[in-house]
Amino acid sequence: MNDTFVYLFIGFVALSLVLRPLFRRLNARRAEAQGDVLADRAGSVGVRHQLATGGASPGAHVFSGTSEGLSWSAQVEVTLDDDGSPSRRSRGQRTRITFPTLAAAPGRFVLAMALPPGVQVPPSPPSGEGGVLGKLAEKAAEAMLDLYVDGYFGAEHRALVNVVGAARPPGPPGLFLLSTDEALAARLLDEQGVALLAALREPVHGLARALDSFGLLATTAGLVVGCQVALYDAAALKVVAERVARLVTHAHAAR
């Protein structure tokens, strides 16, 4: 009985080792086929498409285009399990739209976190609060911020975006704001900028739901808008990019 179990276990492991690369190749072929379809659809609305084959996100779909005369790129991806199938654990999907022409000052950032409807902006911690509890609260806030930045903008920005040393500029309800670039934050968060940010929540044809939750991050590499939705529909993606482009144009003009 024990020998039979051992043989079955060894056979299962061996089969898994053989099937896993087969699943990966199969899903790679599926991604290529999907990429061909997406490229045709993107081309019909004036957007370019290519499939990422290397780097940190192989298999991600990369779109690019021009809105309001400004170039942008967007990376769309879905979290995969080790066997190459969509993850049932996280079911993670995200889109990041980058406009490289609007950059923060060196070493500085502006973060705008759109909160879901009904969620209140957390209060600022009491100034000068110290002791063990203060340090624990600070570490917890940094850990949560790291998770958010990783999910919406990418792990490469975690070292830059921190609660400590950042200001909480005034803003409208439903936006959590952090900034170390006062000048850029003022341009993004004036009356017109706030209205353009609010427009990102408006319904988009082709999307089942509006982008109630999105994030905006300006760094020295440009401005990134991230959301937890896979915007494979190039027409819908273009609409969102056009809305972001209006905000970028405004921020340039407000200098």
Side-chain angles (χ1 to χ4, degrees):
M1 179 69 72
N2 289 337
D3 289 345
T4 301
F5 176 79
V6 171
Y7 291 142
L8 287 173
F9 177 76
I10 293 174
F12 174 77
V13 172
L15 184 62
S16 298
L17 293 174
V18 171
L19 290 179
R20 180 168 294 180
L22 291 177
F23 278 128
R24 287 178 176 170
R25 285 196 292 270
L26 177 61
N27 279 280
R29 293 193 189 101
R30 289 175 177 171
E32 290 176 1
Q34 182 188 26
D36 291 339
V37 173
L38 293 177
D40 289 340
R41 293 176 179 173
S44 68
V45 295
V47 174
R48 296 176 293 279
H49 169 275
Q50 67 182 51
L51 191 66
T53 56
S57 303
H61 294 272
V62 180
F63 298 84
S64 58
T66 302
S67 299
E68 300 282 323
L70 302 171
S71 297
W72 56 266
S73 63
Q75 182 168 300
V76 183
E77 57 187 306
V78 175
T79 301
L80 300 179
D81 271 335
D82 289 340
D83 62 0
S85 62
S87 172
R88 291 191 179 92
R89 293 191 300 272
S90 61
R91 296 178 182 173
Q93 47 180 282
R94 58 192 176 189
T95 298
R96 297 168 183 160
I97 306 174
T98 302
F99 280 80
T101 61
L102 186 65
R108 300 184 180 275
F109 72 90
V110 178
L111 170 70
M113 184 190 304
L115 303 176
V119 176
Q120 300 296 319
V121 176
S124 299
S127 59
E129 182 178 349
V132 176
L133 291 179
K135 291 180 179 178
L136 287 176
E138 184 179 286
K139 288 183 178 180
E142 293 289 0
M144 292 297 294
L145 186 61
D146 283 347
L147 288 175
Y148 182 87
V149 170
D150 191 359
Y152 278 76
F153 312 113
E156 64 271 22
H157 299 298
R158 283 188 302 192
L160 173 66
V161 182
N162 295 288
V163 174
V164 177
R168 293 274 299 270
L175 276 183
F176 176 75
L177 304 168
L178 281 177
S179 174
T180 56
D181 189 330
E182 182 179 353
L184 180 55
R187 285 152 49 200
L188 287 169
L189 298 169
D190 63 9
E191 184 177 356
Q192 185 176 350
V194 167
L196 292 169
L197 276 170
L200 293 177
R201 296 181 186 262
E202 295 176 0
V204 178
H205 180 71
L207 292 184
R209 56 187 176 86
L211 299 180
D212 290 327
S213 179
F214 66 87
L216 177 149
L217 177 65
T219 73
T220 54
L223 181 137
V224 184
V225 171
C227 60
Q228 299 293 297
V229 179
L231 293 175
Y232 288 126
D233 185 331
L237 175 62
K238 186 177 180 180
V239 170
V240 177
E242 287 170 348
R243 293 176 180 176
V244 180
R246 295 185 191 109
L247 177 64
V248 173
T249 299
H250 164 71
H252 281 307
R255 287 178 177 174

